[in-house]
Amino acid sequence: MKSLRARAVVGGMLSAVAIIFLGFTGLSSLGIRQPEQGFNDLQQRRHERVVSVVETYRATPDVLVRRMADPVFERPYSGQYWQILTPDGAILTSPSLQEMRLPAPADVEEDQTVRSLRMPDGQTVRSVGLWRQFDDGQSWHVQVASSLQGLQDSQTLFRRNLFVAFGVVTLIGIIGALLQVTLVLRPLNALRRDVARRWQGEDGLDIDDYPTEVVPLVTDINTLLERNREISSRARRQAADLAHAIKTPSAIVRNELERLLQDGQDVQISIDALDRLDAQLNRSFARIRAGGGHAERPVVLDVSAALDRMVRAFGALASNAERDFTSDVAPDLRARIEQSDFDEIVGNLLDNAMKWSKSRVCVTAKAQDDLVVIEVADDGNGIADADMARVTESGRRLDTAKPGTGLGLAIVKDLIHAYGGALTLDRSETKGGLSATVTLKASLRPRS
């Protein structure tokens, strides 16, 4: 069981159930013993009263019977009975016994006897009997019996009520355990949300917002993120320095090759190879930049403003190339992406659209749920369905009639995926040519 929530809930429920079970057992035992003790005490007092009447009026049996004036012994089959055995063998009984008789006692015993008896009418009674020897030498047997039905009903009702009460307590305990787990884990849930917000350009983790027990974890996370930021920044700087160092000799070689080409030398193969080398280097540097973007605190880009700038730039190019360039960009679009990477993504897509369109290019941008969706469409010949998956592969060129290295869409795909987005290529429903759709994660709030 790896879930802390599940462990806490199960542990809390087990401990609550154990405590409730022990409490139920103890109270149940106590609740059963007390009524039984009360039953025995009451029966003992009635027996003592009957013995007292016998001691006073044993010389006159008729008066003795009348002196047993207790209503519980008067009502027939009331469940409360007395029976007296005289020295001459006569049996005196309470009116409640009617024609029934309690079992005859055994031989004369000095100790009091307590027995459970089954009456002819099906009742189970508890009998308290005692041979009482008086000063005149006579021995009388006095027996009082009480039905156990009332005691059993009382105990059953007590158990039922106790079960219901503890059932409610158990339910409350389970709900309490769930609430307790929720409250205990709330700081961890908050930490998870705060870390997510950190990647969305929100404020950092403030240790004052967390309980003392969670502060060491928050501190470690902040330290780890700071180290990752330093490593990423160093890698990006090194990549930029390396790119600058390579571009200078590459430019020198390109100038020499172009000079040789102007002099009539056949160096076009070398120029094409140099183009591919530059494109591969640009792709590798783009990957390094994008890969490091997640380790640093991401910036929040104003996509609407960035697209407006690119639309103006490509609009001028389209006018010179006699292309109809239109745009529909929603306001206040923001995404978590670097400005340079965004420019390279959209620039490549617009450049391809301008290159392969016949007369029209259109760029649209809108918000959709928690995404920013950008579409670049043209009215060119498009790409065959069978080639859609291959066109983003490194160096894959479907048409060599026009200049290029075949790495533009591959670079675009790498950059988009590095920021958790997606690139979708399809046939444009409105223009008829290629539709390139970019989806990026929207930012929760603008960059401060």
Side-chain angles (χ1 to χ4, degrees):
M1 187 182 298
K2 295 183 179 180
S3 171
L4 290 177
R5 182 184 300 275
R7 291 182 180 181
V9 169
V10 172
M13 290 175 59
L14 289 178
S15 61
V17 169
I19 293 173
I20 291 172
F21 174 77
L22 294 175
F24 177 83
T25 303
L27 288 179
S28 177
S29 175
L30 180 63
I32 290 175
R33 287 200 306 269
Q34 284 186 339
E36 187 170 3
Q37 184 62 42
F39 176 88
N40 294 336
D41 292 343
L42 179 60
Q43 189 177 31
Q44 189 65 36
R45 288 195 299 270
R46 286 174 176 167
H47 183 268
E48 291 173 355
R49 182 177 179 279
V50 172
V51 171
S52 176
V53 172
V54 170
E55 183 178 5
T56 304
Y57 300 101
R58 66 182 183 277
T60 53
D62 294 339
V63 176
L64 185 151
V65 173
R66 290 197 300 271
R67 289 292 181 179
M68 299 290 187
D70 193 330
V72 298
F73 296 130
E74 299 294 326
R75 189 173 68 254
Y77 310 114
S78 64
Q80 302 296 331
Y81 314 109
W82 59 261
Q83 180 174 294
I84 300 172
L85 179 61
T86 65
D88 57 4
I91 297 178
L92 306 177
T93 62
S94 64
S96 57
L97 268 175
Q98 298 292 305
E99 72 279 359
M100 296 188 303
R101 295 293 180 269
L102 298 175
D107 295 339
V108 177
E109 299 176 354
E110 295 182 358
D111 297 331
Q112 186 181 76
T113 59
V114 179
R115 296 180 294 172
S116 293
L117 306 174
R118 188 77 172 178
M119 300 296 289
D121 63 352
Q123 293 186 76
T124 300
V125 299
R126 181 174 295 173
S127 167
V128 177
L130 177 67
W131 282 100
R132 181 63 181 274
Q133 188 172 12
F134 297 103
D135 296 338
D136 56 5
Q138 293 182 340
S139 293
W140 293 63
H141 185 266
V142 180
Q143 188 174 185
V144 172
S146 299
S147 174
L148 292 174
Q149 187 64 44
L151 174 62
Q152 293 170 348
D153 291 344
S154 175
Q155 292 175 336
T156 301
L157 179 62
F158 176 80
R159 289 194 186 96
R160 185 182 300 116
N161 292 338
L162 190 63
F163 180 79
V164 172
F166 271 87
V168 173
V169 172
T170 301
L171 180 61
I172 294 175
I174 293 174
I175 296 175
L178 294 175
L179 292 176
Q180 182 180 12
V181 170
T182 301
L183 292 175
V184 170
L185 294 182
R186 179 175 293 177
L188 295 180
N189 294 330
L191 176 60
R192 181 183 61 184
R193 293 192 298 268
D194 291 345
V195 171
R197 291 193 189 101
R198 186 182 183 93
W199 296 125
Q200 296 170 3
E202 300 261 340
D203 296 335
L205 304 180
D206 187 354
I207 61 175
D208 294 334
D209 295 337
Y210 302 94
T212 304
E213 294 78 7
V214 185
V215 166
L217 176 60
V218 177
T219 303
D220 291 342
I221 291 176
N222 281 333
T223 302
L224 178 61
L225 292 177
E226 289 294 335
R227 290 178 179 175
N228 285 346
R229 183 182 300 113
E230 293 174 2
I231 293 173
S232 175
S233 298
R234 190 181 306 116
R236 289 169 66 89
R237 288 194 301 270
Q238 291 175 350
D241 293 342
L242 180 60
H244 181 73
I246 292 177
K247 284 181 180 179
T248 299
S250 175
I252 295 174
V253 172
R254 183 178 300 278
N255 290 336
E256 290 298 321
L257 289 174
E258 289 179 352
R259 186 180 62 78
L260 291 175
L261 184 63
Q262 292 175 359
D263 292 342
Q265 300 291 329
D266 186 10
V267 294
Q268 187 60 49
I269 295 178
S270 298
I271 293 177
D272 292 341
L274 184 60
D275 289 340
R276 289 194 297 272
L277 176 62
D278 286 343
Q280 288 284 7
L281 288 174
N282 288 335
R283 185 187 187 191
S284 298
F285 293 143
R287 283 178 171 177
I288 294 174
R289 292 198 312 271
H294 287 289
E296 296 184 70
R297 178 169 173 161
V299 296
V300 178
L301 176 65
D302 188 340
V303 174
S304 299
L307 281 176
D308 286 341
R309 289 193 299 270
M310 301 195 75
V311 165
R312 288 195 297 270
F314 276 88
L317 295 176
S319 178
N320 295 334
E322 298 181 351
R323 297 286 196 275
D324 181 19
F325 189 86
T326 59
S327 64
D328 182 11
V329 179
D332 298 325
L333 297 178
R334 292 178 173 84
R336 303 191 302 276
I337 188 171
E338 291 280 354
Q339 174 77 59
S340 59
D341 294 332
F342 181 82
D343 291 345
E344 186 159 4
I345 291 171
V346 178
N348 268 300
L349 295 179
L350 288 174
D351 185 62
N352 281 342
M354 294 288 293
K355 183 187 301 182
W356 299 104
S357 66
K358 296 176 181 178
S359 62
R360 291 184 298 169
V361 176
C362 179
V363 57
T364 61
K366 61 182 180 180
Q368 182 175 315
D369 297 331
D370 59 344
L371 301 174
V372 173
V373 181
I374 303 168
E375 181 186 15
V376 177
D378 62 70
D379 63 348
N381 295 325
I383 300 175
D385 293 341
D387 295 329
M388 286 291 185
R390 298 189 301 121
V391 74
T392 56
E393 296 178 5
S394 176
R396 178 71 65 177
R397 297 183 61 191
L398 303 181
D399 189 348
T400 59
K402 295 187 179 183
T405 61
L407 291 172
L409 289 178
I411 293 174
V412 168
K413 181 181 178 181
D414 289 342
L415 288 172
I416 293 173
H417 284 187
Y419 286 97
L423 172 65
T424 304
L425 301 178
D426 202 351
R427 183 167 294 278
S428 173
E429 296 180 358
T430 57
K431 301 296 185 293
L434 179 66
S435 169
T437 303
V438 177
T439 56
L440 296 172
K441 293 181 180 179
S443 176
L444 294 182
R445 71 178 189 180
R447 176 173 52 187
S448 58

